[in-house]
Amino acid sequence: MVQVRPVSSLAPGRPPVADTAGTPTVRVRRVRLDAAFDGLDRRLTDDLISSHLVAALSAVFPPGEDFFVRSVRRFRHRIADPGLARVVQGFIGQEATHSRAHDACNARLAELGYPTVGVARLTDRLLRLRERIAPAKANLALTAAFEHVTATLAELLLTDAGTRQRLSAPALKALLCWHALEELEHKAVAFDVYRTVGGGETLRILTMKAARIGFVAFIAAATLVSLCRDPAAHRPGALRTSWQTFRRSALVGPEVRRRLRDYERRGFHPHQRDTTALEAAWRARLDAGGETLDLRGAGAPAA
Ligand SMILES: [Fe+2]
Ligand SMILES: [Fe+2]
């Protein structure tokens, strides 16, 4: 089991700084997407609610990640530190690749009857509306907050074999594990850009409080709509049985909630939680197959 530990040298309360010294380059991997998701069937996980939740999450990733890229790009000209500029370049490349990969997955999910097209379109409209109204720094604060949410979910997936085993399709498991690794690799990039351009603690913390509630409400609503359209959910007792499984899953457990709330502490920095050993272990696993990551079943990393 790979250890994940808090970094004591970055004690709570200490003013956070752009901490790029020693940060490894955030590498953009090539992925093979052609026909990778053709084999997916409607059952994405071992239970109904989780399957619809995973589809809803996958649907919001492309517009969400495009928003993250735009938010960070707006401040690129103000980044003087070459180390931070380098990881920003990697962050943009990684997020753009995730967006393309989830688009490919979502097209297949739409064929299977999941409302990924509508959920993605609504997410994109809401984020673009926000960009027209809110200051650029507030959008960057939202990106930094969501990067903490994705890093928290990523750590859960990569540390908890039980969560991974619940994903039925190898291609979906490979997509999410690769995505999770890169979310951990670049987890501090948007945060450090925010800090570098003078983003304050109050805006950062209030943004996370609102983002947490908004994200949970939006994903819950998207999952509910998705479930309502699924004939399998209308079978007597199906939802009750699924709910019994879902409510026990680590995804909705107290540890995830605690880690999300960590971000709301003054002096928080993403590197205070050391995931370098976890990242190294998964890098070795994913990169073992060669330069290009094959997301089709045969080349997918094992559970
Ligand atoms: Fe991503
Ligand atoms: Fe990310």
Side-chain angles (χ1 to χ4, degrees), residues 4-15:
V4 177
R5 58 190 169 83
V7 179
S8 56
S9 60
L10 286 161
R14 183 175 150 176

Side-chain angles (χ1 to χ4, degrees), residues 24 28 54 95 99 128 176 280 289 302:
V28 184
V54 166
E95 293 293 37
S99 181
R128 286 184 190 277
L176 294 178

Side-chain angles (χ1 to χ4, degrees), residues 197-222:
V197 300
E201 288 290 80
T202 304
L203 175 63
R204 181 181 72 74
I205 292 166
L206 288 178
T207 301
M208 175 53 113
K209 284 183 192 293
R212 217 157 34 84
I213 297 164
F215 179 71
V216 170
F218 186 84
I219 290 295

